[in-house]
Amino acid sequence: MEDFLKHNPEFASSIGDLRYNDQISDYSVQAFNDGLARERKFLLRLAAIDPTGFTDAEKISQQLLIRQFEEDDEAADLKSGR
C-alpha cells in the first residue's frame, strides 16, 4: 500500500495522507516501466510465501494479488508487442 500511495500521490491526498501533497503522478514511459519492475519484484516475493497456515481468506488474497500482478505484466507485454 505504501508503494501505491507513493506513486499515486493524488489518491493519497484524497484519502487524507498528506505526505505526498507536494507531488503529482508521473505518467512517463520510464515511470510505467519502473512500476512494472516493482510489481515483478513483489510478485516473486509473494509467490515465494508458503500459504500453509493461512486462513482461507488469506490464501484467496494471496492468489488474487498474484493474479493481478501477472495480468498487469501480460497487459504490458501486449502493449509493447513482446
Side-chain angles (χ1 to χ4, degrees):
M1 185 61 160
E2 186 70 29
D3 184 72
F4 179 80
L5 295 175
K6 181 177 180 181
H7 294 94
N8 295 279
E10 296 90 351
F11 177 77
S13 295
S14 74
I15 61 168
D17 188 335
L18 307 180
R19 293 176 291 170
Y20 308 106
N21 275 1
D22 63 338
Q23 300 173 33
I24 59 171
S25 295
D26 183 354
Y27 294 106
S28 68
V29 172
Q30 182 63 47
F32 179 79
N33 290 335
D34 291 346
L36 285 174
R38 284 190 312 277
E39 277 194 5
R40 287 180 184 129
K41 287 179 186 178
F42 289 144
L43 175 59
L44 291 174
R45 289 174 50 202
L46 185 59
I49 296 172
D50 180 9
T52 302
F54 280 11
T55 65
D56 288 341
E58 290 168 333
K59 289 176 184 176
I60 291 170
S61 291
Q62 181 189 31
Q63 292 168 354
L64 288 173
L65 193 52
I66 287 171
R67 182 181 300 167
Q68 181 63 53
F69 288 156
E70 289 172 342
E71 288 176 357
D72 288 351
D73 198 45
E74 289 172 12
D77 286 348
L78 290 174
K79 285 181 183 178
S80 70
R82 288 190 245 167

